Amino acid sequence: MGAADLHAQVKDFLSWWELGLNKELSDRLDLDGELEQRFQNNSLQYGRTQATLGASYDLLDFLKVSGGARMIFLLDGEQQVNLRYRFHLDLTGSYELSGFDCSLRTRLQYGFDELQVLRYFSLNSTVNRNRLKVSRHIFGTRIECFASLESFHGANKEQQWLIFAMRYSAGARYSLNFRSRLSLRYILEDEFNVTNPKQLHVLVLGYSHSL
């Protein structure tokens, strides 16, 4: 009688700290920058630092295209810090319904380990992410509440295109003034169709400022 390998789901609590900057160049074109610090293993251990630069352009009042590049300093299983890179291209549609701001974003994300292997597409990782987000401003206050649902799609070793993670998020933003906002959100992320799937509980504190 054969024995099958069982892979239990790994659970962890993480904390993320985000700093975002935005510069409006014209009525339709924006530049964005973000610096993020993540801690893992019940938020007691350094996980990664990532810096993202990007731009977005309003094609229509309800349709926006954006893209960017990300550099990641990542702690691996041997406690060594490695460098990773990602490019992404987004298309976001938005719609207002009964006081709720709804948006649907699809993102094509391409990641690689070294600049030298950028041209070897098959050795790197291509991920499609689709996010549905709903937000609402609480009338008479500086608070905006939001919730989102995001799916992650990618190819496995057999080159089958599968959903390998779902991310559920809810939180709130508080406007300090016309240019600055604080945000707090909770994320539940579930992995599947992968070896040793993870379930992540994440608390995210962010600050954003418009230049």
Side-chain angles (χ1 to χ4, degrees):
M1 183 175 179
D5 291 333
L6 298 179
H7 301 285
Q9 189 176 55
V10 178
K11 297 184 179 182
D12 195 9
F13 171 72
L14 293 76
S15 58
W16 299 352
W17 304 81
E18 297 175 342
L19 172 63
L21 297 175
N22 171 269
K23 176 66 175 178
E24 183 179 297
L25 298 182
S26 69
D27 291 340
R28 292 184 176 271
L29 180 62
D30 286 0
L31 292 181
D32 300 285
E34 184 181 73
L35 181 64
E36 184 176 326
Q37 177 64 63
R38 298 185 179 183
F39 295 92
Q40 60 188 18
N41 290 339
N42 292 320
S43 299
L44 298 176
Q45 183 183 44
Y46 170 84
R48 67 172 60 182
T49 301
Q50 54 190 42
T52 307
L53 292 176
S56 62
Y57 184 80
D58 293 331
L59 297 173
L60 300 167
D61 291 339
F62 61 90
L63 188 63
K64 177 174 67 177
V65 63
S66 55
R70 174 174 293 174
M71 183 180 295
I72 303 171
F73 297 89
L74 177 68
L75 188 67
D76 62 19
E78 299 179 353
Q79 306 303 303
Q80 299 293 322
V81 177
N82 297 306
L83 194 58
R84 302 286 188 268
Y85 306 90
R86 287 181 186 166
F87 293 131
H88 67 267
L89 181 65
D90 299 349
L91 186 65
T92 305
S94 58
Y95 183 75
E96 184 176 345
L97 179 64
S98 301
F100 290 89
D101 294 320
C102 307
S103 67
L104 178 61
R105 184 194 73 184
T106 182
R107 166 173 289 185
L108 187 63
Q109 180 176 288
Y110 179 68
F112 51 98
D113 294 350
E114 298 180 10
L115 291 175
Q116 290 85 348
V117 300
L118 175 58
R119 62 185 182 275
Y120 300 112
F121 292 99
S122 61
L123 298 180
N124 303 311
S125 173
T126 301
V127 176
N128 172 236
R129 299 167 55 174
N130 298 296
R131 186 191 70 187
L132 176 63
K133 183 177 180 180
V134 178
S135 63
R136 183 180 178 93
H137 176 258
I138 300 178
F139 181 76
T141 73
R142 298 185 178 187
I143 300 174
E144 178 187 26
C145 298
F146 59 87
S148 66
L149 170 67
E150 186 171 11
S151 61
F152 292 70
H153 310 252
N156 61 11
K157 293 181 180 179
E158 290 75 30
Q159 296 303 308
Q160 295 176 310
W161 197 256
L162 301 171
I163 298 177
F164 65 86
M166 292 293 297
R167 178 179 290 179
Y168 313 90
S169 179
R173 295 187 185 91
Y174 179 79
S175 297
L176 299 172
N177 49 52
F178 288 110
R179 291 183 175 273
S180 302
R181 294 192 301 180
L182 288 173
S183 64
L184 180 66
R185 73 183 189 271
Y186 165 75
I187 294 174
L188 170 62
E189 185 172 309
D190 268 318
E191 292 184 345
F192 39 86
N193 292 323
V194 297
T195 303
N196 297 325
K198 296 178 181 179
Q199 183 183 81
L200 303 178
H201 300 266
V202 189
L203 190 64
V204 186
L205 181 63
Y207 171 79
S208 61
H209 182 76
S210 297
L211 301 175

